[in-house]
Amino acid sequence: MVIRKSPAYAILTALICTVVLVFAAPVLTQSQPSSASSPAGADASTGSAEPERRTHQFSRQWLLEHARSLAEQPFELPALDEDNPLNELNYDEYRRISFDPYAAIWARQDRNFTLDLFHPGFLYTTPVNINLVVGGVSRQVLYTTDIFRYEEGISDVQNFDAQGYSGFRVYHPINTPDRFEEFLVFQGASYFRGTAKDQFYGLSARGLAINTARPEGEEFPYFTDFWIERPEVGAEKIVIHALLDSPSTTGAFRFDIRPGDSTVMDVEASLFPREEMTHYGIAPLTSMFMFDDTNRSRYDDYRRAVHDSDGLQIMMQNGEQIWRPLANPRRLQSSSFVSSASSSVKGFGLMQRHNQFEDFNDSEARYDKRTSLWIEPLENWGVGEVVLVEIPTPQEVHDNIVAYWQPEDSLQPGNQYDYRYRMHWGPVGPYELEVGRITDTSRGQSINGDDMVFVIDYAGGDTIPNVITDTDAVEIRVTNSAGTVINTSGTLVQATGQYRAFIRIDPGRADLIELRATLHVNGKQWGETWIYRWTQ
């Protein structure tokens, strides 16, 4: 594991929350032990001794009422005692504490899921309550050090109570039927990360974004409590509930999770604001983009590209599909893609379309296997905008890309706001075009002068009517906010079967140009809409 450190917003905003995540390796595997010690009170059927622990009836309605009641009280985030040595653990020390796989929850039961728990400490000084739900009854998993292994020199932290864990991860036979492998992690604020069959962890998701890239600084809500329903024997789905809390709002979340070729999560999120909220993001995504063929010249690196995601994809209700290549700008920048009452957003996601090893030439990080994530509203979200925030980063350990849905209306205290959406974690999104999909964007200086040339590749070029015999049948329409479009041209690349569009632009004195390009065949748009922001 490595530390995914947080990018600085300079004076504009607070740091993005830092999380330790599996970064450059396949998901962890877990064998099925025949005997083990289990977390205190992990499950009544394990036969373990059960110290006294919190037990109560649990339902989605109970959680909604609990979140509503909490919103009427002052915010108070749980934390380890100031003198607790867990607060002082550094990264290397924290890595020397590991979960004992023989203590995995449900490991000795005939179920398709098991759970590991994360030790508190280092960056994770907010105790998180983990509860298991069986037959509608919630039972707290008491904190114990018996389920962890401590390497030499770190064992003294076993003597200190933490009143909770820092998160958990979930295993399932996602790649082969006889081996349990990690595919889901909840740890750090409201961050979580999933993956799919034959994929590696890449971007992260969050429960909620508040004041991202705002001058007043970003607010990070926390998942302080989880209720995990014990899956039925043989079930292919697991249900996780979470309580979200922050100075601005509380929230009740339900995740219905089905791992597979694409890991699908149905999310029900209900928010109960403590105060008016004007800048907030629903279904926020967090990723990393350092360089590709659009800014390759800035980096002396043997690899061809470095990114967890390479573009923002948006689909509107009217059928328009938008592709916005990501950037690593020299200054923080925010872009908005506005929907209207007549055409709301049908979905959006941060995608990793480059999925060949040769695209990156990185045998360790394997960016070619990083997961894409698509957000699909399960109801009409109405008027609002998809917001994309891009933050300068000099290194790949920084998450510097944020995308989310911002509704038009503010949230008012005393009310309940419900959002339902589906998350698709996998190699591709559910609405990827077979033809007309933008596969690559490159940029460079014109051979004949200081003009810029943008090169855009579209999949399935040979399906354009008459394109092979008459490339003039394709019209390239470009709009630009500054500079001058010198010319456009296109060709069918015989080696790939893709259509390639060239856009030559003289930027003049502009230091920022908003570009939009579409292809038209016989007067009708073909393929995705390409949108790009160029900056000096």
Side-chain angles (χ1 to χ4, degrees):
M1 293 191 295
V2 302
I3 303 176
R4 177 60 60 82
K5 295 183 180 178
S6 306
Y9 288 156
I11 61 173
L12 292 178
T13 186
L15 295 177
I16 284 183
C17 182
T18 305
V19 288
V20 173
L21 295 166
V22 177
F23 179 57
V27 292
L28 300 179
T29 60
Q30 183 183 78
S31 60
Q32 292 294 301
S34 58
S35 62
S37 60
S38 297
D43 193 50
S45 61
T46 64
S48 301
E50 289 192 32
E52 184 178 353
R53 57 203 174 106
R54 291 186 300 180
T55 302
H56 63 85
Q57 294 293 319
F58 179 83
S59 66
R60 168 71 175 167
Q61 187 60 39
W62 178 91
L63 182 56
L64 289 170
E65 294 304 321
H66 182 53
R68 188 193 312 275
S69 174
L70 190 63
E72 298 173 354
Q73 305 170 30
F75 170 71
E76 184 176 356
L77 186 67
L80 298 176
D81 294 337
E82 290 185 4
D83 59 351
N84 194 317
L86 293 172
N87 291 314
E88 306 302 322
L89 290 177
N90 61 34
Y91 172 60
D92 290 331
E93 291 170 333
Y94 186 72
R95 289 189 64 190
R96 291 159 64 188
I97 304 173
S98 60
F99 184 81
D100 184 347
Y102 287 93
I105 296 172
W106 307 321
R108 298 187 303 280
Q109 302 180 27
D110 186 18
R111 305 187 191 279
N112 284 331
F113 298 90
T114 63
L115 304 176
D116 280 7
L117 304 178
F118 285 116
H119 201 285
F122 180 43
L123 301 173
Y124 310 109
T125 57
T126 298
V128 174
N129 291 316
I130 308 293
N131 305 274
L132 303 181
V133 179
V134 180
V137 176
S138 166
R139 292 180 172 87
Q140 181 187 12
V141 180
L142 295 177
Y143 177 72
T144 176
T145 59
D146 294 341
I147 60 175
F148 295 100
R149 295 172 176 174
Y150 300 84
E151 295 183 14
E152 185 178 354
I154 202 71
S155 59
D156 58 330
V157 300
Q158 297 180 77
N159 301 323
F160 294 86
D161 191 13
Q163 296 88 43
Y165 299 92
S166 66
F168 62 95
R169 56 187 166 202
V170 188
Y171 292 78
H172 177 79
I174 191 169
N175 290 312
T176 59
D178 58 350
R179 185 174 65 172
F180 279 62
E181 298 182 73
E182 176 188 347
F183 76 96
L184 178 64
V185 168
F186 283 84
Q187 189 185 30
S190 69
Y191 282 84
F192 58 101
R193 174 180 279 193
T195 191
K197 183 178 181 180
D198 297 326
Q199 295 281 287
F200 288 4
Y201 284 130
L203 77 172
S204 302
R206 285 187 275 168
L208 186 68
I210 302 176
N211 292 336
T212 301
R214 297 290 302 170
E216 57 267 36
E218 183 160 5
E219 176 182 315
F220 292 96
Y222 276 75
F223 284 142
T224 59
D225 299 76
F226 289 94
W227 292 264
I228 307 169
E229 295 187 18
R230 186 180 70 178
E232 298 293 332
V233 173
E236 296 295 327
K237 180 182 80 169
I238 187 169
V239 178
I240 297 171
H241 305 262
L243 174 69
L244 180 138
D245 203 5
S246 81
S248 296
T249 188
T250 66
F253 284 71
R254 174 187 168 113
F255 302 89
D256 286 56
I257 305 161
R258 301 178 296 278
D261 293 339
S262 177
T263 292
V264 179
M265 300 183 186
D266 286 351
V267 182
E268 296 180 45
S270 298
L271 303 178
F272 302 89
R274 286 189 168 97
E275 57 188 43
E276 183 181 18
M277 298 171 60
T278 57
H279 296 91
Y280 59 98
I282 304 301
L285 314 179
T286 302
S287 191
M288 181 275 295
F289 179 92
M290 192 164 79
F291 70 86
D292 67 0
D293 287 338
T294 62
N295 63 337
R296 181 71 180 79
S297 61
R298 289 166 50 188
Y299 296 90
D300 184 12
D301 197 304
Y302 73 91
R303 295 168 296 180
R304 297 184 178 95
V306 172
H307 50 74
D308 284 338
S309 308
D310 55 8
L312 170 66
Q313 181 187 355
I314 304 172
M315 186 174 184
M316 308 302 294
Q317 292 286 354
N318 63 6
E320 182 182 20
Q321 298 213 35
I322 297 170
W323 178 251
R324 165 59 154 79
L326 297 178
N328 180 6
R330 298 184 187 275
R331 299 182 299 274
L332 182 146
Q333 62 185 23
S334 181
S335 306
S336 297
F337 306 86
V338 181
S339 71
S340 63
S342 60
S343 183
S344 183
V345 65
K346 189 173 182 178
F348 69 95
L350 291 175
M351 318 304 289
Q352 181 76 315
R353 286 187 174 174
H354 288 81
N355 53 21
Q356 301 298 315
F357 176 79
E358 294 76 13
D359 294 332
F360 302 93
N361 192 32
D362 192 326
S363 58
E364 181 182 0
R366 294 306 304 270
Y367 289 110
D368 54 299
K369 287 186 172 292
R370 299 303 173 98
T371 302
S372 297
L373 178 52
W374 179 259
I375 303 298
E376 176 187 2
L378 296 179
E379 56 201 0
N380 190 332
W381 279 359
V383 180
E385 56 191 22
V386 175
V387 177
L388 173 65
V389 179
E390 297 164 303
I391 307 159
T393 182
Q395 295 178 310
E396 63 201 273
V397 295
H398 299 298
D399 274 335
N400 65 318
I401 304 295
V402 183
Y404 54 84
W405 169 254
Q406 167 78 64
E408 180 183 51
D409 296 331
S410 62
L411 303 185
Q412 301 298 322
N415 295 329
Q416 175 178 337
Y417 299 89
D418 300 318
Y419 301 92
R420 297 174 57 246
Y421 53 94
R422 180 167 293 157
M423 311 179 78
H424 301 262
W425 305 76
V428 296
Y431 297 106
E432 293 276 5
L433 294 175
E434 293 185 10
V435 294
R437 181 181 72 256
I438 296 172
T439 62
D440 201 19
T441 298
S442 305
R443 181 177 66 85
Q445 186 175 353
S446 171
I447 297 176
N448 300 322
D450 295 331
D451 304 338
M452 295 182 299
V453 177
F454 291 90
V455 180
I456 312 165
D457 290 334
Y458 295 79
D462 57 352
T463 66
I464 303 176
N466 305 319
V467 71
I468 295 177
T469 59
D470 182 9
T471 55
D472 291 338
V474 181
E475 178 188 3
I476 304 172
R477 300 180 185 177
V478 180
T479 59
N480 51 300
S481 64
T484 303
V485 177
I486 304 299
N487 60 48
T488 63
S489 61
T491 185
L492 181 69
V493 181
Q494 296 290 346
T496 63
Q498 298 188 351
Y499 184 81
R500 175 167 290 182
F502 299 88
I503 303 173
R504 181 179 171 190
I505 295 178
D506 177 6
R509 296 183 178 181
D511 58 6
L512 184 152
I513 303 175
E514 299 282 2
L515 293 164
R516 178 186 179 96
T518 54
L519 301 186
H520 295 260
V521 179
N522 299 323
K524 294 183 178 180
Q525 182 174 342
W526 179 89
E528 292 181 312
T529 299
W530 178 83
I531 294 178
Y532 191 83
R533 173 180 286 181
W534 172 83
T535 57
Q536 287 277 19

